[in-house]
Amino acid sequence: MRDILRADAARMSLVEDTFKATLRSYGYDEIRLPLIERTELFTRGVGESTDAVSKEMYTLFDRDEEPLALRPEGTASCVRAVIANDMLRGDRPRLWYSGPMFRYERPQKGRYREFQQVGAESFGYSGPDVDVELISIGQEVWERLGIASNTELRINSLGNFASRTIYRNALVEYLRPLQEKLDPDSVRRLTSNPLRILDSKDERTQELLQDAPRLMDHLDNESKDYFRELVKSLDNADIPYKIDEQMVRGLDYYTHIVFEWHSEKLGAQSQIGGGGRYDGLVELLGGPPCPASGFAVGVDRIALVHQAMTAEFDARSAHIYVISLDLDCDDYADEISRTIRESTRMKVRRHRGRDKVKNQFKAADRSGATWAIVVGQDELETKSVSCKFLREKRPQIEIPVGRLADFFTRATT
Ligand code: HAM
């Protein structure tokens, strides 16, 4: 777990804010979910054999010996919440959430034990139209952030439950005689979660998989029709995608369509978001039968992509730094600061602490500000300010208070 400072924090806020604004513009409602849930929610909801639950979950006991877990993801919590709050009665909610998730993974660039997600979930819609809406939301955010050219959408179909069971058996039958050649993780998964073997990183396992039965060949007509319709809708919406038949996702609840967004700017941890349909989860967790689908994105990773693609990013503490030369001028300096804040979108930092003028200028420089606004007795009397250009060799100018808003609205930082 880590501290996130300055420009990194500002980039993450930008990613979160862009997602939140886009989700709101599509009419999705915010839901705030607890950080801690009963462990059982995830063992049942996400799946006991998944890495997120079996290897990576932070668990604890509270004072009543209740087994609890720091949430590794938001979908199971969101499903629990819509059931517990009776939100499915006569309604089909579309919701979003954001916040930290926790997974005990081996940390590296882009992979952390505490990381931030923004997620969206829709309940009650069975057609691919809502899947395409969710994908469009992601696409729109990549465009707004200026990273779309480096983002790839990958899709696959896991089929409905019946087709997946048939495929799972076929895959196990094919791999069992080859067991000795598989990597240890895949051997373990042969009994616990065979589909996950498909996205093994082991080269030899991948070679063996070349001749394995294909998931697409085992889809029944309903599953095929669903996938075909989804692909057609993506084409109609002009959303580029790649079909990735090996992609199975790490969580157990998916049915039909699964998707991931990847960015090549990230190296090994290239997945910046993922999601899919999970038609059985609401019922599994004690609710009524209810189709559902959603996605979550990794804010930390998207911020890294943004950094790699947009070197120029204004994360300075201040654009304008306001200095008072005299104790008697402090109120006037405060008033000037307020005026500029109210009439422009500039960040205005007022110097605090009774420091010598020289030290006030040092602080102004450190803040990254473009201008220092200086007020003393003369400025107070003439109702003006002196404006010093901190980043250019230009003589200082005097600006009457009445013209401040105009000056700083036109100026570029
Ligand atoms: P997920 O693929 O496990 O899906 O996580 C979503 C995103 O969270 C990933 O694409 C990745 O960007 C980010 N992420 C995951 N683990 C880490 C980590 N250790 N460090 C940094 N970022 C990470 C889910 O969580 C599902 N709940 C998504 C979903 C919603 N499916 C349906 N609805």
Side-chain angles (χ1 to χ4, degrees):
M1 291 169 197
R2 67 211 211 281
D3 302 310
I4 301 160
L5 311 177
R6 299 173 195 282
D8 295 336
R11 278 188 205 271
M12 286 178 65
S13 287
L14 174 74
V15 173
E16 284 162 350
D17 293 347
T18 310
F19 260 106
K20 290 177 188 177
T22 309
L23 284 157
R24 284 197 194 99
S25 79
Y26 275 74
Y28 283 57
D29 294 317
E30 181 175 8
I31 182 166
R32 290 185 178 245
L33 301 161
L35 286 189
I36 297 177
E37 298 271 6
R38 293 207 170 92
T39 307
E40 194 205 349
L41 173 69
F42 303 114
T43 44
R44 284 179 58 206
V46 176
E48 203 139 14
S49 64
T50 60
D51 286 353
V53 169
S54 66
K55 295 201 218 154
E56 298 164 1
M57 202 147 67
Y58 280 90
T59 49
L60 60 132
F61 291 92
D62 73 3
R63 286 168 190 272
D64 302 326
E65 302 290 312
E66 176 92 56
L68 302 176
L70 297 188
R71 60 183 186 188
E73 60 106 50
T75 307
S77 302
C78 195
V79 170
R80 180 202 49 67
V82 297
I83 298 169
N85 294 287
D86 209 13
M87 292 170 77
L88 299 173
R89 190 184 298 244
D91 199 8
R92 298 193 282 176
R94 278 178 264 179
L95 304 169
W96 66 266
Y97 51 84
S98 74
M101 307 290 159
F102 302 87
R103 295 183 195 176
Y104 187 81
E105 296 195 79
R106 203 159 42 81
Q108 63 180 80
K109 187 180 170 202
R111 189 166 69 194
Y112 312 105
R113 290 182 173 176
E114 177 182 12
F115 59 97
Q116 305 291 323
Q117 279 190 351
V118 180
E121 316 287 355
S122 74
F123 297 95
Y125 301 90
S126 56
D129 58 347
V130 82
D131 305 334
V132 175
E133 174 172 280
L134 289 158
I135 290 172
S136 310
I137 290 172
Q139 179 69 24
E140 202 167 310
V141 172
W142 314 139
E143 275 157 25
R144 284 198 195 185
L145 288 172
I147 62 169
S149 63
N150 215 274
T151 307
E152 181 180 85
L153 171 68
R154 300 181 190 168
I155 60 171
N156 191 22
S157 173
L158 301 181
N160 54 17
F161 188 70
S163 338
R164 210 165 61 228
T165 311
I166 295 171
Y167 176 68
R168 192 186 146 116
N169 294 339
L171 184 67
V172 172
E173 208 171 295
Y174 169 82
L175 287 174
R176 187 145 284 149
L178 306 169
Q179 247 190 85
E180 276 160 28
K181 298 178 184 159
L182 293 175
D183 63 285
D185 259 351
S186 297
V187 174
R188 195 172 46 78
R189 284 176 172 149
L190 208 51
T191 40
S192 66
N193 199 351
L195 254 57
R196 282 301 312 271
I197 298 175
L198 294 183
D199 66 7
S200 161
K201 300 278 177 293
D202 187 81
E203 265 177 42
R204 199 142 158 226
T205 300
Q206 277 305 334
E207 259 170 48
L208 294 173
L209 284 170
Q210 302 259 321
D211 300 322
R214 289 170 59 225
L215 191 75
M216 282 288 177
D217 297 336
H218 290 73
L219 297 185
D220 62 12
N221 286 342
E222 184 213 342
S223 306
K224 277 189 193 141
D225 288 347
Y226 193 98
F227 194 58
R228 235 178 260 132
E229 209 183 316
L230 179 106
V231 165
K232 205 169 100 199
S233 309
L234 287 176
D235 288 336
N236 290 346
D238 263 339
I239 298 176
Y241 58 87
K242 199 178 113 188
I243 296 174
D244 177 356
E245 289 189 36
Q246 305 291 100
M247 183 178 73
V248 291
R249 310 266 305 131
L251 316 164
D252 273 357
Y253 44 64
Y254 292 110
T255 49
H256 287 295
I257 160 86
V258 286
F259 58 89
E260 286 179 358
W261 287 288
H262 286 258
S263 168
E264 60 168 40
K265 292 278 176 201
L266 282 181
Q269 305 305 319
S270 72
Q271 190 199 317
I272 55 173
R277 180 156 282 282
Y278 50 96
D279 288 342
L281 186 59
V282 179
E283 210 174 351
L284 180 75
L285 293 179
C290 176
S293 64
F295 71 77
V297 296
V299 173
D300 310 67
R301 291 187 188 169
I302 301 165
L304 286 174
V305 176
H306 187 261
Q307 184 182 15
M309 292 189 70
T310 52
E312 289 214 0
F313 177 67
D314 186 0
R316 288 173 293 163
S317 313
H319 302 122
I320 301 168
Y321 200 95
V322 181
I323 290 173
S324 152
L325 298 178
D326 198 315
L327 274 184
D328 293 344
C329 302
D330 279 1
D331 289 345
Y332 181 54
D334 288 347
E335 193 188 313
I336 296 290
S337 309
R338 250 192 326 269
T339 306
I340 307 174
R341 280 187 207 114
E342 280 164 10
S343 51
T344 71
R345 296 179 59 181
M346 301 260 177
K347 297 187 206 172
V348 183
R349 190 185 262 201
R350 170 77 175 90
H351 187 83
R352 296 294 171 200
R354 306 238 154 112
D355 294 308
K356 289 193 186 117
V357 174
K358 193 171 131 206
N359 290 340
Q360 294 198 45
F361 271 107
K362 270 195 193 151
D365 196 46
R366 259 200 314 273
S367 75
T370 308
W371 302 276
I373 293 282
V374 188
V375 299
Q377 290 297 344
D378 291 350
E379 287 82 4
L380 181 61
E381 270 160 37
T382 55
K383 286 276 164 235
S384 66
V385 306
S386 294
C387 175
K388 250 177 110 70
F389 297 85
L390 296 173
R391 314 285 153 198
E392 310 172 66
K393 277 212 159 11
R394 258 175 82 175
Q396 120 176 3
I397 57 171
E398 188 146 329
I399 309 173
V401 173
R403 293 208 11 88
L404 275 174
D406 189 47
F407 180 84
F408 285 115
T409 321
R410 282 157 193 266
T412 41
T413 57

PDB file of all heavy atoms in Angstrom, residues 90-106:
ATOM      1  N   GLY A  90     -39.632  -3.466  -8.863  1.00  0.00           N
ATOM      2  CA  GLY A  90     -40.222  -2.475  -9.771  1.00  0.00           C
ATOM      3  C   GLY A  90     -39.208  -1.515 -10.362  1.00  0.00           C
ATOM      4  O   GLY A  90     -39.580  -0.477 -10.889  1.00  0.00           O
ATOM      5  N   ASP A  91     -37.930  -1.821 -10.259  1.00  0.00           N
ATOM      6  CA  ASP A  91     -36.941  -0.884 -10.792  1.00  0.00           C
ATOM      7  C   ASP A  91     -35.780  -1.667 -11.416  1.00  0.00           C
ATOM      8  O   ASP A  91     -35.576  -2.846 -11.119  1.00  0.00           O
ATOM      9  CB  ASP A  91     -36.419   0.024  -9.670  1.00  0.00           C
ATOM     10  CG  ASP A  91     -35.754   1.280 -10.236  1.00  0.00           C
ATOM     11  OD1 ASP A  91     -35.834   1.507 -11.455  1.00  0.00           O
ATOM     12  OD2 ASP A  91     -35.135   2.020  -9.448  1.00  0.00           O
ATOM     13  N   ARG A  92     -35.059  -0.986 -12.271  1.00  0.00           N
ATOM     14  CA  ARG A  92     -33.869  -1.608 -12.876  1.00  0.00           C
ATOM     15  C   ARG A  92     -32.712  -0.639 -12.731  1.00  0.00           C
ATOM     16  O   ARG A  92     -32.405   0.140 -13.626  1.00  0.00           O
ATOM     17  CB  ARG A  92     -34.150  -1.915 -14.342  1.00  0.00           C
ATOM     18  CG  ARG A  92     -35.302  -2.915 -14.486  1.00  0.00           C
ATOM     19  CD  ARG A  92     -35.407  -3.468 -15.871  1.00  0.00           C
ATOM     20  NE  ARG A  92     -36.038  -2.543 -16.788  1.00  0.00           N
ATOM     21  CZ  ARG A  92     -36.179  -2.760 -18.085  1.00  0.00           C
ATOM     22  NH1 ARG A  92     -35.701  -3.869 -18.623  1.00  0.00           N
ATOM     23  NH2 ARG A  92     -36.776  -1.886 -18.861  1.00  0.00           N
ATOM     24  N   PRO A  93     -32.077  -0.647 -11.554  1.00  0.00           N
ATOM     25  CA  PRO A  93     -31.073   0.382 -11.257  1.00  0.00           C
ATOM     26  C   PRO A  93     -29.805   0.265 -12.104  1.00  0.00           C
ATOM     27  O   PRO A  93     -29.370  -0.829 -12.442  1.00  0.00           O
ATOM     28  CB  PRO A  93     -30.744   0.151  -9.781  1.00  0.00           C
ATOM     29  CG  PRO A  93     -31.257  -1.187  -9.437  1.00  0.00           C
ATOM     30  CD  PRO A  93     -32.308  -1.568 -10.422  1.00  0.00           C
ATOM     31  N   ARG A  94     -29.278   1.428 -12.433  1.00  0.00           N
ATOM     32  CA  ARG A  94     -27.942   1.497 -13.039  1.00  0.00           C
ATOM     33  C   ARG A  94     -27.110   2.356 -12.103  1.00  0.00           C
ATOM     34  O   ARG A  94     -27.435   3.511 -11.856  1.00  0.00           O
ATOM     35  CB  ARG A  94     -28.021   2.115 -14.438  1.00  0.00           C
ATOM     36  CG  ARG A  94     -28.426   1.077 -15.479  1.00  0.00           C
ATOM     37  CD  ARG A  94     -28.552   1.658 -16.851  1.00  0.00           C
ATOM     38  NE  ARG A  94     -29.914   2.016 -17.170  1.00  0.00           N
ATOM     39  CZ  ARG A  94     -30.286   2.575 -18.321  1.00  0.00           C
ATOM     40  NH1 ARG A  94     -29.382   2.861 -19.239  1.00  0.00           N
ATOM     41  NH2 ARG A  94     -31.552   2.864 -18.548  1.00  0.00           N
ATOM     42  N   LEU A  95     -26.039   1.763 -11.580  1.00  0.00           N
ATOM     43  CA  LEU A  95     -25.322   2.374 -10.455  1.00  0.00           C
ATOM     44  C   LEU A  95     -23.830   2.496 -10.736  1.00  0.00           C
ATOM     45  O   LEU A  95     -23.286   1.754 -11.542  1.00  0.00           O
ATOM     46  CB  LEU A  95     -25.499   1.485  -9.213  1.00  0.00           C
ATOM     47  CG  LEU A  95     -26.949   1.184  -8.811  1.00  0.00           C
ATOM     48  CD1 LEU A  95     -26.984   0.092  -7.755  1.00  0.00           C
ATOM     49  CD2 LEU A  95     -27.630   2.438  -8.294  1.00  0.00           C
ATOM     50  N   TRP A  96     -23.197   3.429 -10.034  1.00  0.00           N
ATOM     51  CA  TRP A  96     -21.721   3.474 -10.064  1.00  0.00           C
ATOM     52  C   TRP A  96     -21.182   3.689  -8.660  1.00  0.00           C
ATOM     53  O   TRP A  96     -21.874   4.215  -7.785  1.00  0.00           O
ATOM     54  CB  TRP A  96     -21.193   4.542 -11.028  1.00  0.00           C
ATOM     55  CG  TRP A  96     -21.489   5.978 -10.644  1.00  0.00           C
ATOM     56  CD1 TRP A  96     -22.547   6.719 -11.072  1.00  0.00           C
ATOM     57  CD2 TRP A  96     -20.715   6.833  -9.789  1.00  0.00           C
ATOM     58  NE1 TRP A  96     -22.489   7.979 -10.537  1.00  0.00           N
ATOM     59  CE2 TRP A  96     -21.377   8.080  -9.749  1.00  0.00           C
ATOM     60  CE3 TRP A  96     -19.539   6.663  -9.061  1.00  0.00           C
ATOM     61  CZ2 TRP A  96     -20.893   9.155  -8.994  1.00  0.00           C
ATOM     62  CZ3 TRP A  96     -19.068   7.734  -8.309  1.00  0.00           C
ATOM     63  CH2 TRP A  96     -19.740   8.963  -8.288  1.00  0.00           C
ATOM     64  N   TYR A  97     -19.950   3.253  -8.474  1.00  0.00           N
ATOM     65  CA  TYR A  97     -19.269   3.413  -7.181  1.00  0.00           C
ATOM     66  C   TYR A  97     -17.797   3.662  -7.462  1.00  0.00           C
ATOM     67  O   TYR A  97     -17.305   3.395  -8.563  1.00  0.00           O
ATOM     68  CB  TYR A  97     -19.425   2.141  -6.313  1.00  0.00           C
ATOM     69  CG  TYR A  97     -19.040   0.877  -7.057  1.00  0.00           C
ATOM     70  CD1 TYR A  97     -17.719   0.454  -7.133  1.00  0.00           C
ATOM     71  CD2 TYR A  97     -20.019   0.127  -7.720  1.00  0.00           C
ATOM     72  CE1 TYR A  97     -17.366  -0.680  -7.846  1.00  0.00           C
ATOM     73  CE2 TYR A  97     -19.676  -1.006  -8.436  1.00  0.00           C
ATOM     74  CZ  TYR A  97     -18.354  -1.406  -8.498  1.00  0.00           C
ATOM     75  OH  TYR A  97     -18.005  -2.525  -9.229  1.00  0.00           O
ATOM     76  N   SER A  98     -17.112   4.184  -6.460  1.00  0.00           N
ATOM     77  CA  SER A  98     -15.665   4.313  -6.610  1.00  0.00           C
ATOM     78  C   SER A  98     -15.027   4.192  -5.245  1.00  0.00           C
ATOM     79  O   SER A  98     -15.683   4.430  -4.222  1.00  0.00           O
ATOM     80  CB  SER A  98     -15.305   5.661  -7.239  1.00  0.00           C
ATOM     81  OG  SER A  98     -15.463   6.682  -6.300  1.00  0.00           O
ATOM     82  N   GLY A  99     -13.747   3.828  -5.234  1.00  0.00           N
ATOM     83  CA  GLY A  99     -13.056   3.744  -3.958  1.00  0.00           C
ATOM     84  C   GLY A  99     -11.997   2.669  -3.964  1.00  0.00           C
ATOM     85  O   GLY A  99     -11.755   2.019  -4.979  1.00  0.00           O
ATOM     86  N   PRO A 100     -11.344   2.495  -2.812  1.00  0.00           N
ATOM     87  CA  PRO A 100     -10.236   1.540  -2.741  1.00  0.00           C
ATOM     88  C   PRO A 100     -10.694   0.087  -2.680  1.00  0.00           C
ATOM     89  O   PRO A 100     -11.739  -0.219  -2.100  1.00  0.00           O
ATOM     90  CB  PRO A 100      -9.532   1.932  -1.441  1.00  0.00           C
ATOM     91  CG  PRO A 100     -10.578   2.591  -0.617  1.00  0.00           C
ATOM     92  CD  PRO A 100     -11.543   3.232  -1.559  1.00  0.00           C
ATOM     93  N   MET A 101      -9.932  -0.782  -3.309  1.00  0.00           N
ATOM     94  CA  MET A 101     -10.112  -2.233  -3.239  1.00  0.00           C
ATOM     95  C   MET A 101      -8.784  -2.801  -2.747  1.00  0.00           C
ATOM     96  O   MET A 101      -7.735  -2.159  -2.910  1.00  0.00           O
ATOM     97  CB  MET A 101     -10.428  -2.819  -4.628  1.00  0.00           C
ATOM     98  CG  MET A 101     -11.589  -2.158  -5.343  1.00  0.00           C
ATOM     99  SD  MET A 101     -13.170  -2.523  -4.565  1.00  0.00           S
ATOM    100  CE  MET A 101     -14.175  -1.166  -5.183  1.00  0.00           C
ATOM    101  N   PHE A 102      -8.816  -3.999  -2.191  1.00  0.00           N
ATOM    102  CA  PHE A 102      -7.606  -4.557  -1.567  1.00  0.00           C
ATOM    103  C   PHE A 102      -7.348  -5.981  -2.053  1.00  0.00           C
ATOM    104  O   PHE A 102      -8.252  -6.816  -1.996  1.00  0.00           O
ATOM    105  CB  PHE A 102      -7.772  -4.567  -0.044  1.00  0.00           C
ATOM    106  CG  PHE A 102      -8.047  -3.194   0.523  1.00  0.00           C
ATOM    107  CD1 PHE A 102      -9.345  -2.705   0.594  1.00  0.00           C
ATOM    108  CD2 PHE A 102      -7.006  -2.392   0.960  1.00  0.00           C
ATOM    109  CE1 PHE A 102      -9.600  -1.431   1.095  1.00  0.00           C
ATOM    110  CE2 PHE A 102      -7.247  -1.126   1.462  1.00  0.00           C
ATOM    111  CZ  PHE A 102      -8.548  -0.641   1.530  1.00  0.00           C
ATOM    112  N   ARG A 103      -6.148  -6.214  -2.549  1.00  0.00           N
ATOM    113  CA  ARG A 103      -5.780  -7.578  -2.939  1.00  0.00           C
ATOM    114  C   ARG A 103      -4.332  -7.809  -2.550  1.00  0.00           C
ATOM    115  O   ARG A 103      -3.469  -6.989  -2.867  1.00  0.00           O
ATOM    116  CB  ARG A 103      -5.945  -7.795  -4.455  1.00  0.00           C
ATOM    117  CG  ARG A 103      -7.395  -7.703  -4.901  1.00  0.00           C
ATOM    118  CD  ARG A 103      -7.566  -7.990  -6.393  1.00  0.00           C
ATOM    119  NE  ARG A 103      -8.897  -7.549  -6.822  1.00  0.00           N
ATOM    120  CZ  ARG A 103      -9.343  -7.589  -8.071  1.00  0.00           C
ATOM    121  NH1 ARG A 103      -8.577  -8.071  -9.023  1.00  0.00           N
ATOM    122  NH2 ARG A 103     -10.559  -7.156  -8.372  1.00  0.00           N
ATOM    123  N   TYR A 104      -4.095  -8.944  -1.898  1.00  0.00           N
ATOM    124  CA  TYR A 104      -2.737  -9.261  -1.461  1.00  0.00           C
ATOM    125  C   TYR A 104      -1.982  -9.851  -2.643  1.00  0.00           C
ATOM    126  O   TYR A 104      -1.818 -11.056  -2.774  1.00  0.00           O
ATOM    127  CB  TYR A 104      -2.801 -10.247  -0.290  1.00  0.00           C
ATOM    128  CG  TYR A 104      -1.477 -10.527   0.355  1.00  0.00           C
ATOM    129  CD1 TYR A 104      -0.949  -9.650   1.285  1.00  0.00           C
ATOM    130  CD2 TYR A 104      -0.751 -11.666   0.032  1.00  0.00           C
ATOM    131  CE1 TYR A 104       0.273  -9.906   1.871  1.00  0.00           C
ATOM    132  CE2 TYR A 104       0.473 -11.929   0.613  1.00  0.00           C
ATOM    133  CZ  TYR A 104       0.981 -11.043   1.525  1.00  0.00           C
ATOM    134  OH  TYR A 104       2.192 -11.285   2.105  1.00  0.00           O
ATOM    135  N   GLU A 105      -1.560  -8.968  -3.564  1.00  0.00           N
ATOM    136  CA  GLU A 105      -0.812  -9.400  -4.746  1.00  0.00           C
ATOM    137  C   GLU A 105       0.641  -9.008  -4.559  1.00  0.00           C
ATOM    138  O   GLU A 105       0.972  -8.216  -3.690  1.00  0.00           O
ATOM    139  CB  GLU A 105      -1.356  -8.713  -5.994  1.00  0.00           C
ATOM    140  CG  GLU A 105      -2.786  -9.107  -6.298  1.00  0.00           C
ATOM    141  CD  GLU A 105      -3.191  -8.729  -7.714  1.00  0.00           C
ATOM    142  OE1 GLU A 105      -2.810  -9.455  -8.635  1.00  0.00           O
ATOM    143  OE2 GLU A 105      -3.908  -7.730  -7.884  1.00  0.00           O
ATOM    144  N   ARG A 106       1.512  -9.527  -5.435  1.00  0.00           N
ATOM    145  CA  ARG A 106       2.907  -9.121  -5.382  1.00  0.00           C
ATOM    146  C   ARG A 106       3.009  -7.754  -6.042  1.00  0.00           C
ATOM    147  O   ARG A 106       2.743  -7.614  -7.229  1.00  0.00           O
ATOM    148  CB  ARG A 106       3.786 -10.138  -6.108  1.00  0.00           C
ATOM    149  CG  ARG A 106       5.238 -10.110  -5.654  1.00  0.00           C
ATOM    150  CD  ARG A 106       5.951 -11.425  -5.988  1.00  0.00           C
ATOM    151  NE  ARG A 106       5.603 -11.901  -7.327  1.00  0.00           N
ATOM    152  CZ  ARG A 106       6.150 -11.445  -8.448  1.00  0.00           C
ATOM    153  NH1 ARG A 106       7.076 -10.525  -8.411  1.00  0.00           N
ATOM    154  NH2 ARG A 106       5.780 -11.922  -9.624  1.00  0.00           N
TER     155      ARG A 106
END
